[in-house]
Amino acid sequence: MTEIRPETRPEARPTTRSGGRQRASHSLEAVVGEAVALLDEAGEAALTFRALAARLGGGVGSIYWYVSGKDELLARASDHVLAGVLAATEGAAGSSDPVDDLRVIAVAFFEAVSSRPWLGAYFLRDVDLQPNAVLLYERLGQQVLRLHLPPRESFHAVSAVMGYVIGTAADLGRRPEAAGGDPVEHERGLDDLVQRWRELDPGRFPFIRHVVEEFAVHRDDEQFLAGLDLLLAGLRLQADRRA
Amino acid sequence: MTEIRPETRPEARPTTRSGGRQRASHSLEAVVGEAVALLDEAGEAALTFRALAARLGGGVGSIYWYVSGKDELLARASDHVLAGVLAATEGAAGSSDPVDDLRVIAVAFFEAVSSRPWLGAYFLRDVDLQPNAVLLYERLGQQVLRLHLPPRESFHAVSAVMGYVIGTAADLGRRPEAAGGDPVEHERGLDDLVQRWRELDPGRFPFIRHVVEEFAVHRDDEQFLAGLDLLLAGLRLQADRRA
DNA sequence: ACCTGAACACCGTTCAAGT
DNA sequence: ACCTGAACACCGTTCAAGT
């Protein structure tokens, strides 16, 4: 996954005045960039106006000069990350199979969201603040366009892919290792759960008993891909029927 | 959708002592029930320990006798709602088509989550606190079991359906009318967006131009069903191949 | 065994005052 | 035009004190 992060950390530039006192100087880019850095390093709970201000080397109040509040900050942070997804899928529309291309974009999108559980909740909330989200929507859609489905089916197909990506990513991403939690402790908790599920009554829980060993060894990314491929198989079927 | 809510609002029972002073008396059921009522009436932001205590007619501290904190309260609230989904899908395993039955359960699940955007984030977070979530998972799984897929495919199929349901529901449910916002104002904002999208450059945004009129008239539930049917079509295909 | 509510350590947001 | 930081109105959580 391509990270969008300025090469030079956007430090607050202390403008030294003749005499002595310093004032920090920011920019929207610096505010949003540091917010994403804070989120990536320490998770959603760590993004505080006080913590962000400290990182920027200034006061809390100055952040409000650039964003109207925390909602807008997170909306912009979300779009900032999406710029990386767009960059990573720049040439993804090249293959002869539109569904394959759709898949590549969906995977890049998934990778960005699953390591950032907060992203899904703010994706495409405010179109004005999130031009990259609109571009990503359009890029997913352009692959579907090549299937020559009617508008209604085209709209539904892209909505379905986005819903699946965000839902699965948020679901898998909220596990401790994705946030700042201890992976070892998480692994132990998962083993405990598997052990208890192995001992469930097969009469009452035939399904869990049927899949528990798969659950024990599953990998999140494979689980995501398997479901995505079911969805895309359904889409292919629909496209073939229409053709 | 079937609501699980006690017929008699679980008022705090003031235990009158001879002499005069009263003390509220709660129960886990009352605490969780009132939490869900508060969430349903006024949204996630309204669920405050102070507001909940006032509703229960007691002090803030007493809530901590029943739950360890806000996370556990929301996990239990989530499971409380899921009891309704289970009740509503009690006889859903009766048809001759397992995928149809899977669909019925998924729809009931979707209805519960889309009107409660907070639910998805807490679904199946803590298996010990959420027996109904496990039962719902098992019930979805039992339909898949009838397709006689290998464990790995079975596991992936149920994971995919759950991911899609939660993702789409959270996405659609965060629109203002689902929370406590003004539906009229929301409608106006949507009209504005549609108008701006109609004027986008067709060279740069061919997909959005292709679907904008569908977007303008779309209904959330139909959008959900269309995507679900794509996923289920893929699942059917997989089951047929294996047979 | 269970309830109370003041107190604590945080939040996001505002705003008069600065430069 | 932009930055500052004290102040405000909230939070979730704790805990000594009650019954």
Side-chain angles (χ1 to χ4, degrees), chain A residues 83-97:
Chain A
V85 177
L86 284 175
T89 59
E90 194 67 52
S95 101
S96 62
D97 185 344

Side-chain angles (χ1 to χ4, degrees), chain B residues 178-197:
Chain B
D182 183 358
V184 178
E185 196 192 333
H186 172 251
E187 199 60 43
R188 216 182 54 78
L190 196 129
D191 285 349
D192 287 353
L193 180 59
V194 165
Q195 194 46 46
R196 274 190 300 148
W197 277 10

Side-chain angles (χ1 to χ4, degrees), chain A residues 120-121 123 128 138 141 145 149 151-152 154 156 158-159 167 174 196 205-208 210 214 222-223 226 230 234, chain B residues 120-121 123 128 138 141-142 145 149 151-152 154 156 158-159 167 174 196 205-208 210 214 222-223 226 230 234:
Chain A
F123 176 73
D128 294 303
E138 172 67 30
L145 223 43
L149 293 167
R152 188 178 167 81
S154 305
H156 286 155
V158 177
S159 303
R174 85 187 163 209
R196 275 189 299 151
F205 295 94
F207 174 72
I208 290 181
H210 187 243
E214 278 305 323
E222 290 175 354
Q223 181 183 326
L230 287 180
Chain B
F123 176 73
D128 295 302
E138 173 67 29
Q142 285 182 10
L145 224 43
L149 294 168
R152 187 177 167 79
S154 305
H156 286 156
V158 177
S159 302
R174 84 188 163 209
R196 274 190 300 148
F205 294 95
F207 174 71
I208 291 181
H210 187 243
E214 278 304 323
E222 290 176 354
Q223 181 183 327
L230 287 181

Side-chain angles (χ1 to χ4, degrees), chain B:
Chain B
M1 183 178 51
T2 313
E3 279 294 312
I4 285 288
R5 207 174 289 175
E7 311 80 64
T8 59
R9 174 73 63 78
E11 302 276 357
R13 288 177 279 112
T15 24
T16 322
R17 291 296 196 105
S18 63
R21 266 194 46 114
Q22 302 194 336
R23 276 177 90 197
S25 168
H26 312 313
S27 69
L28 179 57
E29 171 67 23
V31 168
V32 175
E34 283 304 296
V36 170
L38 204 45
L39 286 162
D40 282 351
E41 286 168 26
E44 189 170 6
L47 181 62
T48 286
F49 275 71
R50 285 167 178 83
L52 182 56
R55 242 185 131 100
L56 289 161
V60 254
S62 28
I63 298 169
Y64 286 89
W65 186 260
Y66 297 97
V67 293
S68 64
K70 201 169 187 185
D71 264 0
E72 183 178 327
L73 179 61
L74 276 158
R76 289 194 189 275
S78 159
D79 216 52
H80 184 84
V81 171
L82 255 36
V85 177
L86 284 174
T89 59
E90 194 67 55
S95 100
S96 62
D97 185 344
V99 178
D100 279 352
D101 292 348
L102 183 60
R103 196 181 118 111
V104 168
I105 304 170
V107 168
F109 187 22
F110 172 79
E111 284 170 353
V113 187
S114 66
S115 56
R116 298 179 183 89
W118 53 272
L119 208 164
Y122 286 90
F123 176 73
L124 258 184
R125 259 207 206 184
D126 188 323
V127 172
D128 295 302
L129 303 175
Q130 302 177 303
N132 292 327
V134 176
L135 286 170
L136 181 60
Y137 181 62
E138 173 67 29
R139 185 167 294 174
L140 287 164
Q142 285 182 10
Q143 314 318 312
V144 172
L145 224 43
R146 294 160 65 199
L147 297 174
H148 304 292
L149 294 168
R152 187 177 167 79
E153 275 78 2
S154 305
F155 172 64
H156 286 156
V158 177
S159 302
V161 170
M162 284 197 337
Y164 175 73
V165 169
I166 291 182
T168 306
D171 183 33
L172 301 179
R174 84 188 163 209
R175 270 99 102 116
E177 72 267 38
D182 183 358
V184 178
E185 196 192 333
H186 172 251
E187 199 60 43
R188 216 182 54 78
L190 196 129
D191 285 349
D192 287 353
L193 180 59
V194 165
Q195 194 46 46
R196 274 190 300 148
W197 277 10
R198 281 191 183 118
E199 291 157 6
L200 284 176
D201 176 9
R204 287 187 62 214
F205 294 95
F207 174 71
I208 291 181
R209 289 292 300 263
H210 187 243
V211 300
V212 63
E213 299 308 327
E214 278 304 323
F215 176 71
V217 302
H218 89 282
R219 275 182 39 191
D220 284 357
D221 53 347
E222 290 176 354
Q223 181 183 327
F224 165 75
L225 284 176
L228 180 63
D229 285 334
L230 287 181
L231 188 59
L232 295 180
L235 181 60
R236 272 187 212 278
L237 202 65
Q238 188 176 58
D240 291 345
R241 283 221 185 91
R242 292 273 175 184

Side-chain angles (χ1 to χ4, degrees), chain A:
Chain A
M1 183 177 51
T2 314
E3 279 295 312
I4 285 289
R5 207 174 290 173
E7 313 80 65
T8 60
R9 172 73 62 76
E11 304 275 357
R13 287 176 281 113
T15 23
T16 322
R17 290 299 196 105
S18 63
R21 269 195 41 118
Q22 301 194 335
R23 276 177 89 198
S25 168
H26 312 311
S27 69
L28 179 58
E29 172 66 23
V31 168
V32 174
E34 284 303 296
V36 171
L38 203 46
L39 286 162
D40 281 351
E41 286 168 26
E44 189 170 6
L47 181 63
T48 285
F49 274 72
R50 284 166 177 84
L52 182 57
R55 241 185 131 100
L56 289 162
V60 255
S62 28
I63 299 168
Y64 286 89
W65 185 260
Y66 297 97
V67 293
S68 65
K70 201 170 189 185
D71 265 0
E72 182 179 328
L73 179 60
L74 275 158
R76 289 193 188 275
S78 160
D79 215 53
H80 185 84
V81 171
L82 255 36
V85 177
L86 284 175
T89 59
E90 194 67 52
S95 101
S96 62
D97 185 344
V99 178
D100 279 352
D101 292 348
L102 182 61
R103 197 181 116 112
V104 167
I105 303 170
V107 168
F109 186 23
F110 172 79
E111 284 171 352
V113 186
S114 67
S115 57
R116 299 179 182 89
W118 52 271
L119 208 165
Y122 286 89
F123 176 73
L124 257 183
R125 260 207 205 184
D126 187 322
V127 172
D128 294 303
L129 303 174
Q130 302 177 302
N132 292 327
V134 175
L135 286 170
L136 181 60
Y137 181 63
E138 172 67 30
R139 185 168 294 174
L140 286 164
Q142 285 181 11
Q143 314 318 311
V144 172
L145 223 43
R146 294 160 64 198
L147 297 174
H148 303 292
L149 293 167
R152 188 178 167 81
E153 275 78 3
S154 305
F155 172 64
H156 286 155
V158 177
S159 303
V161 170
M162 283 196 340
Y164 175 73
V165 169
I166 291 182
T168 305
D171 183 33
L172 301 177
R174 85 187 163 209
R175 271 101 102 116
E177 71 267 38
D182 183 359
V184 178
E185 195 193 333
H186 173 250
E187 200 59 43
R188 216 183 54 76
L190 195 131
D191 285 349
D192 286 353
L193 179 60
V194 165
Q195 193 48 47
R196 275 189 299 151
W197 275 10
R198 283 192 181 115
E199 290 157 6
L200 284 176
D201 176 8
R204 287 188 63 215
F205 295 94
F207 174 72
I208 290 181
R209 290 293 300 266
H210 187 243
V211 301
V212 63
E213 300 309 326
E214 278 305 323
F215 176 71
V217 302
H218 89 282
R219 275 181 40 189
D220 284 354
D221 52 347
E222 290 175 354
Q223 181 183 326
F224 165 75
L225 284 176
L228 180 63
D229 284 333
L230 287 180
L231 189 59
L232 295 181
L235 180 58
R236 271 187 212 279
L237 203 64
Q238 189 176 57
D240 291 346
R241 283 223 184 90
R242 292 274 174 183

